[in-house]
Amino acid sequence: MWGEQFTNMLYLVVMASLCRLSWELSRQRSSVVEQGAHKASVMGSNPSAAINPRAMELTPLQKEWAEKAVKRYAEAQEKKWRRWNDAMFERK
């Protein structure tokens, strides 16, 4: 009795594995197609950026904002790590 159940379960496991393999392979192939379509649509949506690389440059105001953001981020990280260090090693 156990041998027959084991055989049936083995068939089920093999069938499930084959179904999963088929699904994974079809998913991999479709993702490659989607990535190619996405790249084509991105390039087609803004042709001036592909022709003119200066179109992607930041304005002076955007540069100022970016510099402020980086400075504040660095300050926040420093404060975070100082607190972590104090909490871990309990400085007094």
Side-chain angles (χ1 to χ4, degrees), residues 35-87:
Q35 285 178 353
H38 178 69
K39 286 180 184 176
S41 68
V42 169
M43 291 298 286
S45 66
N46 192 2
S48 65
I51 296 168
N52 185 5
R54 293 182 147 253
M56 298 299 289
E57 290 183 11
L58 298 175
T59 65
L61 187 58
Q62 289 174 327
K63 287 181 183 179
E64 180 184 337
W65 292 339
E67 289 170 5
K68 277 186 180 178
V70 169
K71 182 180 174 186
R72 288 184 181 166
Y73 177 77
E75 290 171 356
Q77 289 299 312
E78 183 181 336
K79 191 182 294 184
K80 179 180 93 172
W81 284 111
R82 196 175 317 120
R83 288 180 184 163
W84 178 84
N85 197 20
D86 290 343

Side-chain angles (χ1 to χ4, degrees), residues 6-20:
F6 179 75
T7 304
N8 290 337
M9 191 60 72
L10 187 62
Y11 286 137
L12 182 64
V13 168
V14 169
M15 298 258 298
S17 300
L18 290 174
C19 286
R20 178 63 186 241

